[in-house]
Amino acid sequence: MLSIDVGFGNVKIYDGTDVAAFPSVYKETTADHIPSTDPDDQLLELDGVKYHVGTTALKMAGIAPFNKEDMLRHKIFMLTAICASTEGADFSDSVALGLPIGDYVFMADKLKKLKGKYEVKYNGKKCVIDVKKITVYAQSEAVYKLIAADTPSVKEEIIGIIDIGQKTVDFAYFDEGTFIKERSGSIEQGVINAYQSIASAVEEKLGFEIADYKAKKYIKKVPEDAQKAFSDMANIIKDRLFRKHWNFKEMDAVYVVGGGAGYVKEFFQDAPYRELDELTAVFANAYGYYKQ
């Protein structure tokens, strides 16, 4: 079984032993694959169409779709993740995927329909991918079970999980093991909002334009603007949490996970912030889907 977290920033993969990731970017091309020593060079051919995927596509200013109902996006990234994990070998097994809490009800069945047999080429090599079954989990609930497996005491605590993604922030509230739906949800506010501010600062202060999803590379070039962008983002998230009746004083722990965790965790020091190791925080969703 393979666990794949198809995020708007990166696709993360866990096979039970190793983790891997690549940018959630693709670019259609007519070029044949040219052998490369770069392990991040990925070319997927699906239904006769060729796509650069991941780092190569990012460098080529490819497409980073933000339409959550774009099933081609999900299909390309799922198949590329499988090929990357198997190094282009045939695959016949089940796959675990996940969604933000707010998208789960209307999107889960759509993702499950991606199961089936695909004949693709990965970096010029033909392979058959037979996805026998797709199981879809709600992201933060999966992370809660992952944390509880390692720290059983959380089942006796009031805790919150904040998953900082590229486009969305998922947040879940648990009272002694009970998921409280009324205090949980998703907002379309993520790292990309901070990246947009950073991209604007680059244009204003450095004199050239960049794509917002490439802003990570320029954080150190406009540090004060970047710090403010992430602070503003954290404050927006906190405001939504408070409106959902999160009271940090009554909570035992708040966990911040996801690809954007490292950017905003310093702004949650007024909460009962409980740190996870960096790898667990970043790959929490992929780990969580697999463990279930």
Side-chain angles (χ1 to χ4, degrees), residues 104-122:
Y104 187 83
V105 173
F106 77 95
M107 278 292 294
D109 286 342
K110 294 181 181 181
L111 287 188
K112 291 176 184 178
K113 290 178 181 178
L114 291 177
K115 76 173 184 178
K117 185 175 288 188
Y118 301 87
E119 295 183 2
V120 304
K121 283 186 180 179
Y122 179 72

Side-chain angles (χ1 to χ4, degrees), residues 17-151:
T17 303
D18 299 315
V19 293
F22 58 84
S24 303
V25 185
Y26 69 83
K27 183 177 180 64
E28 190 173 329
T29 181
T30 57
D32 289 326
H33 175 70
I34 300 173
S36 170
T37 57
D38 185 351
D40 294 327
D41 188 16
Q42 299 184 98
L43 186 79
L44 181 78
E45 184 172 336
L46 171 66
D47 298 330
V49 182
K50 299 169 185 175
Y51 304 92
H52 289 292
V53 184
T55 301
T56 302
L58 179 68
K59 292 176 181 176
M60 294 180 174
I63 300 171
F66 263 24
N67 178 3
K68 56 191 173 186
E69 297 185 68
D70 182 347
M71 300 314 294
L72 176 62
R73 166 188 176 272
H74 285 283
K75 186 186 295 185
I76 288 173
F77 293 145
M78 179 186 76
L79 294 176
T80 302
I82 293 171
C83 290
S85 180
T86 64
E87 297 183 347
D90 291 344
F91 175 88
S92 180
D93 209 335
S94 59
V95 169
L97 302 174
L99 288 165
I101 291 173
D103 296 343
Y104 187 83
V105 173
F106 77 95
M107 278 292 294
D109 286 342
K110 294 181 181 181
L111 287 188
K112 291 176 184 178
K113 290 178 181 178
L114 291 177
K115 76 173 184 178
K117 185 175 288 188
Y118 301 87
E119 295 183 2
V120 304
K121 283 186 180 179
Y122 179 72
N123 288 356
K125 179 182 178 182
K126 290 183 179 180
C127 56
V128 176
I129 297 174
D130 189 3
V131 180
K132 296 290 188 181
K133 178 182 179 182
I134 293 178
T135 306
V136 184
Y137 297 99
Q139 290 175 349
S140 293
E141 291 186 71
V143 173
Y144 176 80
K145 292 180 180 179
L146 174 70
I147 294 170
D150 291 333
T151 312

Side-chain angles (χ1 to χ4, degrees), residues 2 53 98 100 174 252:
L2 195 63
V53 184
F174 295 86
D252 295 294

